[in-house]
Amino acid sequence: MATDSYDLAVRELRDEFGPRVKVERVSGDLGRIVENDPSMEELAAACGDGRIVFIRHLTAELASFPVAEVPPGHELTEMILAELPRHPQALAVQTWTDGASSGGSYYHLLEESLGARGIEVSRAGQELVVSCFASKKSVVIGLNRLEHSLSDWPGGRMRLARSDERVSRSEFKLEEAIQTFDLRLPDGGKALDLGASPGGWTRILRQHGQEVWSVDPGELDQRVAGDRGVHHVGTTAGEFFRRNHIRFDVVVNDMRMDQILSARVMLDAIPHLKRGALAVVTLKGGGRNPLDTARRGMDVLRKEYDVLAARQLHHNRNELTVIARAR
């Protein structure tokens, strides 16, 4: 989870699975469930459907070692293979640390030893994921199925390439949501971008083949505004809804406003959406009780949407991303 969200994640776990669930902190953004833990399937399901939103990566711990006592690669490989019912053809190995390092030395250690056993090793895209977390004091090895891991990135830390075409950092949030939740935008769809300025989310929607109506009193970046598939409507969401007669396939909302108000704007959008339209909205965090506020925001959305997923993604910072379908 995000470092600042540790206590929120623990509270969610206990709310969902009972107060006897015991969690100990391993590092800034890593916790270990040590007593009365749910099954991996139950935990992944709760994280997948939005009942738990502040956890973004899961693994089942195999072993933990002091840094000076990490076994040689062949012993780690034997430990991993002993947990599997059959010899795998391929495994993903994902390493990360409690600092800026990627833990590359541990990746190469495992890559070499697993490769020596005839196993293809990659960093992602495999059914089974070996996780390796390294702090200054200890190294934790885990194993999980990708379908239960929540993210195909080490520790849920998705890294996206920067480019000169980007117009805002916020683009990373929508890109991460599309990849994490495997969102499929309709071919040639019509999309509504609420709070669009300077146009980062509009640009991503265009990359996914959408014709976009970008609603914001602020200006769009010229690289976005000059796109013939973009229609900038320089007004507020409320004023746009009073005049609009188009029905949209997709609506996104990254507006800087209170979670409840933002969710209510999404309710105002309902008459302008096709049935089953995809919705992506970031609910801004902060305040004294961010978990309760997030839950209230999602309760508002549920009045008119089916909430499919909700999670604090790596690029969210103090907010969470909700994926929903209009009823």
Side-chain angles (χ1 to χ4, degrees), residues 25 85 166 204 212 222 227 274 310:
R25 197 160 194 166
R166 294 195 182 277
I204 300 303
V212 186
Q222 286 302 309
D227 185 337
K274 295 178 182 178

Side-chain angles (χ1 to χ4, degrees), residues 81 84-89 128:
L81 296 180
L84 300 174
R86 62 182 63 87
H87 192 87
Q89 292 184 330
L128 295 168

Side-chain angles (χ1 to χ4, degrees), residues 1 6 21 34 64 104 118 129 170 179 188 193 199 214 219 235 244-245 254 263 267 282 310 314 327:
M1 75 292 290
Y6 177 85
V21 171
V34 293
S64 177
V129 181
S170 69
Q179 291 190 36
D193 184 359
S214 304
E219 295 296 323
T235 187
N244 174 65
H245 299 289
D254 189 36
L267 300 188
T282 53
H314 176 64
R327 289 199 291 268

Side-chain angles (χ1 to χ4, degrees), residues 143-184:
L143 179 68
N144 205 8
R145 301 185 67 84
L146 175 59
E147 64 183 299
H148 298 145
S149 298
L150 307 185
S151 172
D152 201 13
W153 290 78
R157 301 177 183 179
M158 182 175 285
R159 306 295 185 186
L160 297 171
R162 300 181 182 276
S163 69
D164 293 338
E165 289 77 26
R166 294 195 182 277
V167 300
S168 71
R169 183 193 174 279
S170 69
E171 293 180 28
F172 291 126
K173 295 186 289 185
L174 184 56
E175 282 192 90
E176 183 176 2
I178 289 171
Q179 291 190 36
T180 297
F181 301 114
D182 194 24
L183 302 183
R184 295 287 185 262

Side-chain angles (χ1 to χ4, degrees), residues 247-259:
R247 301 267 283 184
F248 295 98
D249 304 281
V250 178
V251 57
V252 299
N253 173 359
D254 189 36
M255 291 193 288
R256 297 183 184 90
M257 62 171 55
D258 169 86
Q259 296 190 9

